[in-house]
Amino acid sequence: MASQILDRNLHIKAIDCYIDPAVPRARAIITHGHADHARSGHEAVLATPDTIAIMKTRYGEDCAGRFEALDFGVPLVIDDVTVTLFPAGHILGSAQVLIEQGGQRVVVTGDYKRLPDRTAQPFELVECDLLVTEATFGLPVFQHPRPQDEIARLLASVSANPERAHLVGCYALGKAQRVIGLLRDAGWDRPIYLHGAMLRLCALYEELGVPLGDLRPALDVPKAELAGQIVIAPPSAIRDRWSRRFPDPVTCQASGWMSVKQRARQALVELPLVISDHCDWGELQQTIRETAAETVWVTHGREDALVYWCRTQGLDAEPLNIQGFEDDGGEGEE
Amino acid sequence: MKRFAQLLELLALTPSRTRKLAALTQYFRAVPDPDRGYALAVLTGALTFRNVKPALLKDIVLAEVDPTLFAMSYDYVGDLGETIALIWPHHGEQSDLPSLTELIELFNTTSKSELPKLIAALLTRAGINERWALVKLATGALRIGVSARLAKTALSEMSGVDLQEIEEVWHGLKLPYTELFAWLDGKAGRPDIDQSQRFHPLMLSNPIDEEKDLAKLDPKDFAAEWKWDGIRVQLVLGGGSVSLFSRTGDDIAAAFPDIVDNVQGLAVLDGELLVGRDFEPGSFNDLQQRLNKKVASAKHLKDSPAFIRVYDMLFDAREDIRPLGWSERRARLEAWFQANPQTRLDLSEVLPFANWDDLARQRRQGADEHGHEGVMVKLRTAPYVPGRPKGFWYKWKRDPNVVDAVLMYAQRGHGKRSSFYSDYTFGVWKGNEIVPIGKAYFGFTDEELKLLDKWVRANTIQAFGPVREVKKELVFEVAFDSAQESTRHKSGVALRFPRINRIRWDKPASEAATLEDMAVFVAAS
């Protein structure tokens, strides 16, 4: 049974190793660098080279006792267990974990998306017996539009409001670089201005081979010069005191949550951009079908709806309530 | 429809009133009749469909979506219209929807049995934004933060016609407002409407400034009445037909059949709607119970009968007497009551007073003994002028009650306050815990707001979405008009018109008021 390999706390029993543990552990596999998955203080961390670089940048060189880098697609054999990482397409370095033991295959997706993204290695489908999937957007109301169309809306607003600055709220890791990449693909070659919290991670992406074009710190740029420009900042900053320095800013936010207009309204977002680094409802269903898994564990988000749907499809499904990952009603890092 | 959908989205997401007005003005200028007229009707809530209702939309979706998944989604989104627009599972070849006018005609002319098919096909061919607007149109619940008043203000800005003049004709207009737009565009005269049989905007008062105003005003020029704690209404008696309007011109006749069915005559009257037996007003709470119901229940009619305390007359029969002075209008009103005996209307008493000190004494006494809100002071020669003209009507409220309460939660404000924590929930002690008694967002200066914002940020213990819970350490002196029992608040107490009187940086929270302290205020009202 595949569920003998992994328990409901994502603990690989045979090798005493946890996936994305919430508390410091002796051995951890980290799927990607977001704070709700990558924490500091583990003794040994196995991850992709990009994820390790991100962790070191965010938490310091010694945020784990030791690091072991594992490239995508390279099997690592420990006793009778084989661990292989496959791209999850979520952010740079993000991985799904395949665990094989006794002819059974278990995949833990971590966070993932299936749309192309030039700032992350593209998602690869991995067939398995037990699939542990995230469900951040696990409700049928989430049907993400094409990100290119959302960027086109941003650029249309920029040209319609040349006297205003556009402040785009993005998480500093992943979303910011994706939005910058999409802007570049859409032909926006002007400088893009960054909040201080974005600088280090954008520099790291460039070092890791993801070109982002002309990026400049927004700090100390005279107010008038920022009219008609695009500024990327963490979501918390765009509605905060920090935003008062910009000329009559249009507050934008790039997130899958932005499809719900009443939410955007409450968050005082004037131009919501529905750009997500997670699968929408249809893609979650597609993935579950294509992996051919017979057992599905659902975590991270609106588990109930996806579990309900899996059961209507005759699959053995249940929600995981992993400690440290309880949904607090917050709309976490994307 | 595309243009209208864009307008709705912009209105929903733009916090700035100025920008909303600019968008509305631009729309009304650019879009031809009758589309713009129907848009105006949608925005002012004047449009309803006989057969297209929220329940129909829900049925159409439930035919296509698993009900359990729909329920989970609705629970998450919290807005029926938006849930329907987001969850619709079919997406065909996208094409623009018909115009607003064509859609409204389709909704009105399609048979009940054909409507589901029609609407499903429209949902399938629409892009997400048009789908959202279509569902908003069909369910009638816009929830985009635009009032009828704002839409009319845009008409005024677009045309240069005074807002007051637009309000004057508004309630006699017919859809899709082509007459109105022709007038606003300067292509036709003002629409001709029977002036005596519709809602007329109300005359409002200014607060009296005891130090500045009283010294200048001669008491002999003024009449005084009690200020009643009910709701302001306008009663339009058509000699057979009766309309009852709230202060904003909403027809509330259906909620008060006990009044509407028992009044007669030909006049337009201004007064205070109250509940109670034998013209003895009960608490505002009793009135609130009735206001919450769109249609009155038998129990309410029996337990809380309504009446109107009349204090002014706008039309005597079909004659517009608004240009006359208050004294003349009052004389007409008294004569009208003589000629038209009433069981649900009575005259507001005029209070004789010798001088301002005398009136001040009566005001205090009225507040202490009868819970009166204060007195109204009206210039005897003043005509009836809609709006809030200066120097004619004054309200002289009783001194506010104050209580020391502890700040519990803070929320960010809107508009120019959007990055500041400016909405405050405060509470009083109940044993060892603090329970909320109210919420206020004014009463402090901009400088104080900056300090409060900083304090909130430095003393947050938890955040729930836009709300921050703070350490229970900061005391506000809160002023309020009255306190009432409330089942909605955990404390069991609700305040009327609470505002921050002073910030007591010096006062420890342990010295704030207790729930027992509040009991005297509740008893007094």
Side-chain angles (χ1 to χ4, degrees):
Chain A
M1 275 290 287
S3 54
Q4 299 298 311
I5 301 174
L6 186 76
D7 76 10
R8 284 165 179 71
N9 289 313
L10 305 190
H11 178 224
I12 308 168
K13 289 178 264 187
I15 56 173
D16 188 23
C17 177
Y18 287 84
I19 299 174
D20 293 346
V23 293
R25 296 287 183 186
R27 290 209 273 187
I29 297 173
I30 303 300
T31 59
H32 67 285
H34 278 150
D36 53 343
H37 295 260
R39 290 172 166 84
S40 63
H42 306 304
E43 278 172 39
V45 163
L46 178 76
T48 62
D50 290 342
T51 296
I52 291 171
I54 288 167
M55 286 180 74
K56 286 181 175 173
T57 301
R58 293 190 107 184
Y59 307 129
E61 288 288 328
D62 51 359
C63 65
R66 62 196 161 82
F67 285 102
E68 186 172 342
L70 183 61
D71 284 317
F72 288 121
V74 179
L76 175 70
V77 181
I78 312 166
D79 304 329
D80 62 339
V81 175
T82 305
V83 172
T84 317
L85 302 180
F86 291 92
H90 175 60
I91 63 169
L92 187 63
S94 65
Q96 312 173 73
V97 185
L98 168 68
I99 309 138
E100 292 166 287
Q101 188 182 22
Q104 294 285 312
R105 293 160 66 87
V106 177
V107 167
V108 178
T109 63
D111 291 343
Y112 65 110
K113 75 165 174 290
R114 304 193 57 168
L115 286 181
D117 169 1
R118 72 158 160 104
T119 65
Q121 296 85 353
F123 175 89
E124 283 177 31
L125 187 91
V126 187
E127 290 191 9
C128 57
D129 303 293
L130 166 63
L131 177 70
V132 182
T133 178
E134 59 125 333
T136 306
F137 291 105
L139 280 174
V141 282
F142 293 112
Q143 305 177 19
H144 300 327
R146 286 169 12 117
Q148 301 90 307
D149 295 344
E150 298 299 290
I151 289 294
R153 293 198 309 119
L154 171 61
L155 292 178
S157 175
V158 171
S159 65
N161 298 282
E163 73 295 349
R164 303 176 73 185
H166 281 66
L167 252 58
V168 186
C170 296
Y171 289 105
L173 171 59
K175 185 59 59 68
Q177 296 78 24
R178 172 135 185 255
V179 167
I180 294 167
L182 285 165
L183 279 166
R184 298 306 184 206
D185 289 346
W188 183 262
D189 50 12
R190 313 233 292 258
I192 293 174
Y193 295 86
L194 301 181
H195 180 278
M198 305 288 173
L199 296 168
R200 262 183 330 153
L201 286 162
C202 285
L204 178 68
Y205 263 60
E206 296 227 85
E207 277 169 40
L208 296 174
V210 182
L212 299 174
D214 185 357
L215 303 179
R216 299 181 188 178
L219 191 73
D220 300 331
V221 178
K223 197 168 178 170
E225 270 180 41
L226 290 167
Q229 303 297 340
I230 295 174
V231 183
I232 311 267
S236 57
I238 61 166
R239 290 175 297 276
D240 210 332
R241 283 172 289 192
W242 184 80
S243 69
R244 292 175 203 159
R245 73 185 68 199
F246 296 100
D248 194 12
V250 180
T251 54
C252 319
Q253 188 159 326
S255 160
W257 306 113
M258 287 292 113
S259 59
V260 182
K261 284 192 174 62
Q262 292 294 3
R263 294 290 161 106
R265 226 159 96 75
Q266 282 160 8
L268 300 174
V269 171
E270 215 175 320
L271 182 62
L273 302 169
V274 189
I275 300 177
S276 174
D277 283 332
H278 295 268
C279 288
D280 68 4
W281 176 251
E283 290 159 343
L284 288 169
Q285 292 176 319
Q286 179 196 356
T287 306
I288 290 168
R289 281 196 203 100
E290 289 177 0
T291 59
E294 282 167 11
T295 307
V296 181
W297 292 351
V298 184
T299 181
H300 276 76
R302 273 119 285 274
E303 294 96 352
D304 293 352
L306 199 59
V307 166
Y308 171 85
W309 176 81
C310 286
R311 289 178 182 164
T312 65
Q313 304 300 304
L315 299 173
D316 174 14
E318 59 183 285
L320 293 188
N321 297 303
I322 301 170
Q323 212 185 356
F325 285 148
E326 283 110 11
D327 184 22
D328 58 356
E331 301 186 343
E333 202 153 2
E334 261 214 72
Chain B
M1 187 62 179
K2 193 171 198 163
R3 179 118 203 203
F4 183 64
Q6 282 168 350
L7 175 71
L8 284 191
E9 188 188 31
L10 191 143
L11 294 172
L13 294 173
T14 304
S16 149
R17 183 174 179 276
T18 316
R19 259 189 245 293
K20 285 186 191 197
L21 275 176
L24 284 165
T25 309
Q26 206 183 3
Y27 180 87
F28 290 134
R29 275 211 188 102
V31 173
D33 294 323
D35 255 31
R36 58 177 175 171
Y38 282 117
L40 180 61
V42 175
L43 292 168
T44 54
L47 192 70
T48 48
F49 301 108
R50 199 151 43 92
N51 293 327
V52 180
K53 304 274 181 205
L56 174 76
L57 269 285
K58 205 173 155 183
D59 289 346
I60 293 169
V61 167
L62 288 182
E64 307 295 329
V65 177
D66 182 294
T68 304
L69 291 174
F70 183 83
M72 288 173 172
S73 297
Y74 182 22
D75 184 52
Y76 176 80
V77 176
D79 176 303
L80 179 67
E82 187 152 18
T83 308
I84 294 171
L86 289 170
I87 207 169
W88 186 252
H90 307 298
H91 307 289
E93 185 83 4
Q94 259 186 40
S95 60
D96 289 352
L97 291 181
S99 74
L100 188 55
T101 306
E102 289 164 331
L103 275 176
I104 289 169
E105 265 168 34
L106 277 172
F107 285 178
N108 281 331
T109 55
T110 306
S111 72
K112 227 171 165 175
S113 59
E114 291 294 311
L115 271 172
K117 216 165 71 188
L118 169 84
I119 292 175
L122 291 169
L123 289 170
T124 297
R125 72 185 247 204
I128 176 62
N129 207 32
E130 278 193 284
R131 198 157 67 235
W132 172 77
L134 177 74
V135 177
K136 291 268 162 193
L137 172 69
T139 58
L142 292 182
R143 296 205 198 165
I144 56 167
V146 172
S147 63
R149 181 82 173 174
L150 191 78
K152 293 174 204 165
T153 306
L155 296 178
S156 167
E157 291 200 351
M158 163 186 108
S159 60
V161 173
D162 193 64
L163 176 59
Q164 211 51 62
E165 277 201 71
I166 296 171
E167 290 282 15
E168 277 288 314
V169 299
W170 180 259
H171 291 271
L173 296 169
K174 300 238 176 336
L175 291 184
Y177 304 120
T178 24
E179 280 182 300
L180 171 72
F181 280 108
W183 172 47
L184 297 177
D185 288 345
K187 291 176 184 148
R190 177 171 150 148
D192 186 21
I193 281 152
D194 179 359
Q195 290 298 312
S196 65
Q197 289 306 307
R198 50 167 202 85
F199 174 74
H200 301 271
L202 301 178
M203 174 158 174
L204 305 172
S205 61
N206 294 291
I208 211 158
D209 185 329
E210 293 183 28
E211 278 162 34
K212 279 190 205 153
D213 293 336
L214 291 181
K216 281 188 299 188
L217 304 178
D218 184 346
K220 285 198 291 297
D221 296 338
F222 288 86
E225 295 166 78
W226 292 119
K227 186 176 189 313
W228 302 103
D229 189 15
I231 62 157
R232 185 87 180 271
V233 290
Q234 186 173 93
L235 185 66
V236 177
L237 297 171
S241 67
V242 178
S243 309
L244 182 64
F245 295 106
S246 71
R247 63 185 293 160
T248 48
D250 295 320
D251 194 336
I252 53 170
F256 297 97
D258 41 347
I259 291 182
V260 173
D261 295 344
N262 292 295
V263 289
Q264 42 270 315
L266 187 63
V268 178
L269 304 176
D270 186 3
E272 197 85 356
L273 190 143
L274 298 158
V275 297
R277 296 185 181 284
D278 304 323
F279 296 116
E280 196 54 55
S283 77
F284 190 80
N285 216 10
D286 297 340
L287 175 57
Q288 195 73 49
Q289 300 282 326
R290 290 205 50 177
L291 286 171
N292 289 341
K293 294 265 184 284
K294 274 203 167 130
V295 177
S297 69
K299 184 172 166 358
H300 278 143
L301 292 176
K302 184 164 155 286
D303 296 348
S304 312
F307 66 93
I308 298 175
R309 185 142 285 161
V310 180
Y311 36 62
D312 216 321
M313 186 178 223
L314 285 71
F315 282 75
D316 184 5
R318 295 201 186 275
E319 181 189 352
D320 186 355
I321 61 167
R322 288 177 295 174
L324 305 181
W326 177 86
S327 299
E328 289 162 89
R329 293 200 311 280
R330 175 77 193 189
R332 295 273 201 119
L333 180 61
E334 287 175 8
W336 185 84
F337 261 93
Q338 289 285 331
N340 297 276
Q342 303 287 341
T343 57
R344 291 293 179 146
L345 308 179
D346 82 338
L347 257 175
S348 170
E349 182 191 357
V350 177
L351 303 172
F353 63 99
N355 50 50
W356 295 126
D357 287 342
D358 181 27
L359 187 59
R361 187 187 51 74
Q362 292 192 48
R363 179 183 65 116
R364 262 193 306 278
Q365 204 177 354
D368 293 345
E369 291 173 14
H370 302 285
H372 288 316
E373 270 204 329
V375 291
M376 298 297 302
V377 178
K378 297 176 176 175
L379 182 68
R380 290 178 183 275
T381 55
Y384 192 100
V385 182
R388 208 183 287 280
K390 291 262 187 301
F392 288 169
W393 286 9
Y394 295 97
K395 55 186 163 198
W396 193 5
K397 285 199 176 186
R398 68 177 179 204
D399 299 327
N401 300 305
V402 294
V403 64
D404 286 332
V406 183
L407 176 61
M408 304 177 71
Y409 306 98
Q411 194 172 349
R412 284 198 176 102
H414 294 271
K416 69 171 184 174
R417 286 169 159 191
S418 64
S419 59
F420 291 101
Y421 285 91
S422 64
D423 297 8
Y424 307 110
T425 301
F426 42 80
V428 293
W429 292 101
K430 179 186 182 184
N432 289 327
E433 60 164 348
I434 292 178
V435 290
I437 56 167
K439 196 171 173 180
Y441 40 88
F442 62 95
F444 37 82
T445 64
D446 286 354
E447 280 312 303
E448 284 174 324
L449 175 59
K450 278 187 194 158
L451 294 173
L452 285 170
D453 179 64
K454 200 170 155 198
W455 191 90
V456 167
R457 289 166 194 277
N459 291 279
T460 299
I461 50 181
Q462 259 197 97
F464 316 91
V467 180
R468 289 193 180 203
E469 181 177 4
V470 296
K471 290 183 193 155
K472 309 297 177 299
E473 288 177 2
L474 183 61
V475 176
F476 287 155
E477 183 183 282
V478 176
F480 58 97
D481 283 7
S482 64
Q484 272 149 1
E485 282 182 37
S486 158
T487 47
R488 286 223 327 257
H489 293 74
K490 198 177 163 192
S491 62
V493 178
L495 305 184
R496 292 257 288 151
F497 299 127
R499 61 263 182 197
I500 312 293
N501 214 32
R502 260 193 310 161
I503 307 162
R504 295 296 306 265
W505 300 105
D506 56 317
K507 193 160 192 168
S510 59
E511 291 176 24
T514 64
L515 206 49
E516 290 82 67
D517 297 335
M518 300 304 297
V520 287
F521 300 119
V522 174
S525 65

